[in-house]
Amino acid sequence: MEKFSERSRHVTSSATREIMKVTERPEVISFAGGLPAPELFPIEEMKVACEAVLSESGEQALQYSTTEGYLPLRQDIVSRLEAIGIHATTDHILMTTGSQQGLDLTGKLFLDNEDTVICESPTYLAAIQAFSVYNPNFVEVPMDEDGMLMDELERALQAYPDAKFIYTIPDFQNPTGRTLSLKRRKKMIALANQFDVVIVEDNPYGAVRFAGEALPPVKSLDTEGRVVYISTFSKIFSPGLRLGWICADQVFIDKYVMFKQAADLHTDSFAQRITAKYIELFDLEAHIEDIRTVYLSRRQKMIDCIKSYFPKQVKHSSPEGGLFLWVELPESVDTQEIFEECLKRHVAFVPGNAFYPGRVKNNTFRLNYSNMPEEKIVEGMKRLGAVLTTAVNSSTVQSSRE
Ligand code: PMP
């Protein structure tokens, strides 16, 4: 359509969104989405919180409110950040409509046509989508089990010294479940300082650590106010409420507020108030602890199933938190083809290719373990294992013939 903007050409329908539609069918055991365990949502407590908000401050809760967000909730966030080493005031917090909006506003704020964004390879699919609207040049930095490789990051910064920002998901990354080591966090800050580049730390999963030692957020190591920290209530409370936030220095927040205002005036007043009320009346930390316990056990079940049912050539990550596990197959196997075969058996995952801006790798895929009960994990992994075994065997036979 000739009336559409140039920008609209960069937005294509996502193959993965199409995949998700199929995987939502009730008969499918889906390891595809990134959904929290719904049975853990604190529904009864939320009824109490909603009732309290409506009777105590119904008029304000249903009214327009400020762009920055509901002050008591921002105060709660400041306290939660303080506990993980990020020293902020409420002036440094902007409430957003999910952290996804934080990513969209980040694209608006920083990116002009063909600007460079440095990111992990692979990285979060919907961040690629959000930034792609501004037609950036994605520079992918390879990772190992300890996250982004710092010598490769340094090389990327030397090659693209005008890069606008480094986009990183340091804790239990989506899609790999990997965590950036402390040494590398420090090095990332040092490199950002040296090359004068912003770091966008997307950290929705940090609080969902169920094993190992907590690491300080990259933002807590920031000495020059160059880290924009983006987080959310989606994985610790409810994604349906669409509550996220940006924590950054005033110069950034002032600009973000203007873009936020233009986008949607402010984040849902009612959602912000009931969340603050829940935190006042109940124990959010205890709720997160319940989430951790369930996810640890589901992750363990999934890894046990990989050991029992997957072919030996398969490699996988061992996340200490978050929602995802990453699987790597021999190079000769195409996970898109396997996906089709799995769907026939009513089991789904996300083929890895979608998580690389350059679509470079076809032998990986992402598994979600948070959303399915353990008996379904076992059944789904058995089916998946059978398809993988056939695929790996036939690819081995084929490559030995070549
Ligand atoms: N960043 C990452 C890395 C994510 O995995 C997600 C959700 N899956 C988001 C941002 C967006 O989350 P929300 O908008 O629900 O806060």
Side-chain angles (χ1 to χ4, degrees), residues 33-36 96-103 123-127 167-169 171-175 202-205 230-235 238-245 323-324 366:
L35 309 187
T96 55
T97 301
S99 54
Q100 190 63 34
Q101 185 179 47
L103 297 175
T123 188
Y124 173 46
L125 168 67
Y167 171 67
T168 182
I169 309 155
D171 289 341
F172 326 122
Q173 196 232 20
N174 183 358
D202 185 9
N203 202 326
Y205 304 111
I230 300 178
S231 191
T232 179
F233 282 107
S234 288
K235 306 295 157 34
S238 154
L241 292 177
R242 310 305 302 128
L243 285 184
W245 66 88
L323 275 62
F324 304 110
R366 188 190 75 179

Side-chain angles (χ1 to χ4, degrees), residues 18-70:
E18 299 308 310
I19 288 176
M20 295 300 181
K21 279 187 206 154
V22 186
T23 62
E24 274 165 18
R25 289 195 214 131
E27 68 274 20
V28 174
I29 297 179
S30 179
F31 305 130
L35 309 187
E39 64 277 24
L40 297 181
F41 293 145
I43 296 171
E44 291 309 313
E45 292 86 343
M46 280 298 270
K47 287 182 190 166
V48 176
C50 287
E51 171 64 39
V53 167
L54 289 172
S55 45
E56 289 164 22
S57 56
E59 289 183 1
Q60 295 93 323
L62 300 176
Q63 188 55 282
Y64 284 118
S65 56
T66 60
T67 304
E68 287 80 355
Y70 182 49

Side-chain angles (χ1 to χ4, degrees), residues 327-401:
V327 178
E328 197 159 339
L329 298 163
E331 296 261 339
S332 50
V333 181
D334 185 340
T335 54
Q336 189 66 45
E337 283 169 20
I338 290 175
F339 177 78
E340 308 292 336
E341 199 48 45
C342 284
L343 260 197
K344 288 184 202 153
R345 299 174 192 219
H346 299 311
V347 62
F349 55 80
V350 183
N353 170 297
F355 300 100
Y356 299 91
R359 304 281 185 266
V360 286
K361 254 178 155 261
N362 292 316
N363 61 322
T364 54
F365 64 88
R366 188 190 75 179
L367 290 174
N368 165 271
Y369 49 77
S370 59
N371 186 241
M372 286 283 146
E374 290 186 24
E375 57 288 1
K376 288 216 169 169
I377 292 181
V378 174
E379 178 53 34
M381 293 294 279
K382 267 188 202 162
R383 293 183 204 170
L384 187 47
V387 176
L388 289 182
T389 304
T390 310
V392 169
N393 287 345
S394 72
S395 86
T396 322
V397 172
Q398 204 152 3
S399 45
S400 65
R401 283 206 199 107

